[in-house]
Amino acid sequence: MNDDAVVRVENLHKYFGQLEVLKGINMEIHRGEVVVIFGRSGSGKSTLLRCINFLEDPTHGTVEVAGVKLEGGHRTRRKREQIRQLRIKTGMVFQAFNLFPNMTTIENVMEGPVTVKGIPKADARAQGLELLSKVGLADKADVHPIRLSGGQQQRVAIARALAMEPEVMLFDEPTSALDPELIGEVLAVMKSLATDMHMTMMVVTHEMGFAREVANRMMFFHEGVILEQGTPDELINHTKFPETKKFFEAVL
C-alpha cells in the first residue's frame, strides 16, 4: 500500500444472488482525502461502503484499510478477528443514525471505546464529552436520542464513530433522512472534520454543494462501475460521459 493510502480496494465484486451489484471496483483513498461517491439509486455506492467494512461480505476481491487486508468470500473464524480489526479502523455513519435508544447521548458515544477497546469508563466519558462538544452537543450529553432532532441524532452518530479514533470515516447518505433545515448542521460538522481534523472520508451523498466545497475527488458510480472520477471542477464542469451529465442536470 502507498504510504498515504488508507483504503485500497482491488477487483471488488459483489453479487446478490444472480445480480452483480459491484463489477470489479479498484480504488485507493489517500490519507486526509475526502472522496464523494455519487450516482443513481442502485448503482452500488452504499454496497461499496458496506463491503469496505464487511457489513456485506464481498464476493471476490480484496479490501485493505490501514494495513488490515482481507479477501472477499466466505467468512472463517480467523477472518472474523481480522474483520474486527478492520472495523476498529473504520468509522461508519448510516442514513438512519442507528443510535441505541435506551442509552443517553454520552453512553452512545462511550459504548465502542469501553466495550471494544476496553477503555476505562471515566476516560471514555471525558473523550466522549470532548467529541460531543466538537459536534456542538455538549449540553445534550445526558439526553436520550428520542429527545433529539434528526440532525442532532446524526451529529451524535458522527461523534460515536469518531470515538473509536478510526483511520477512515464512511458516510452512507448521512443527510438523506433529514428535514431540509437540518441538513446544513450535519454537513457543517462533516466539513470541519475534513478541514480541521484532516479526516480521511468516503461520503456517499447527493449534496453537490458539499462536494464542490470539500471533496478532493468525486466518483460517479453507474451500474456497478466507477464510470468517471476527478476533481469536483472536472466532473461538474467538464464531465466526459452523457450519463454523468444527465445526473448533474437532475440534481444541480
Side-chain angles (χ1 to χ4, degrees), residues 89-154:
K89 295 171 186 289
T90 314
M92 180 90 172
V93 177
F94 300 89
Q95 193 173 333
F97 327 136
N98 290 7
L99 297 176
F100 301 115
N102 57 324
M103 294 182 180
T104 62
T105 296
I106 187 66
E107 287 166 350
N108 264 281
V109 177
M110 289 166 60
E111 178 67 11
V114 170
T115 58
V116 180
K117 287 184 160 182
I119 288 170
K121 279 190 174 175
D123 295 352
R125 185 177 173 90
Q127 181 209 25
L129 289 171
E130 209 175 294
L131 287 168
L132 285 176
S133 166
K134 258 194 185 107
V135 300
L137 291 171
D139 58 332
K140 302 289 186 190
D142 298 312
V143 172
H144 281 80
I146 196 165
R147 320 236 10 131
L148 300 175
S149 72
Q152 289 170 330
Q153 288 187 55
Q154 193 60 297

Side-chain angles (χ1 to χ4, degrees), residues 148-165:
L148 300 175
S149 72
Q152 289 170 330
Q153 288 187 55
Q154 193 60 297
R155 286 187 279 150
V156 174
I158 292 171
R160 181 177 65 176
L162 288 171
M164 293 298 287
E165 301 180 319

Side-chain angles (χ1 to χ4, degrees), residues 150-151 154-155 174-190 205 207 210:
Q154 193 60 297
R155 286 187 279 150
T175 59
S176 65
L178 298 178
D179 293 334
E181 71 273 16
L182 302 176
I183 289 172
E185 66 189 59
V186 172
L187 293 177
V189 167
M190 291 167 63
T205 186
E207 294 293 336
F210 172 83

Side-chain angles (χ1 to χ4, degrees), residues 187-198:
L187 293 177
V189 167
M190 291 167 63
K191 187 179 167 187
S192 91
L193 289 188
T195 52
D196 305 338
M197 292 176 68
H198 305 293

Side-chain angles (χ1 to χ4, degrees), residues 11-14 20-25 222-226:
N11 195 30
L12 190 74
H13 293 259
K14 176 64 183 175
E20 189 177 18
V21 178
L22 296 174
K23 302 173 181 174
I25 301 293
H222 181 68
E223 295 180 355
V225 299
I226 301 169

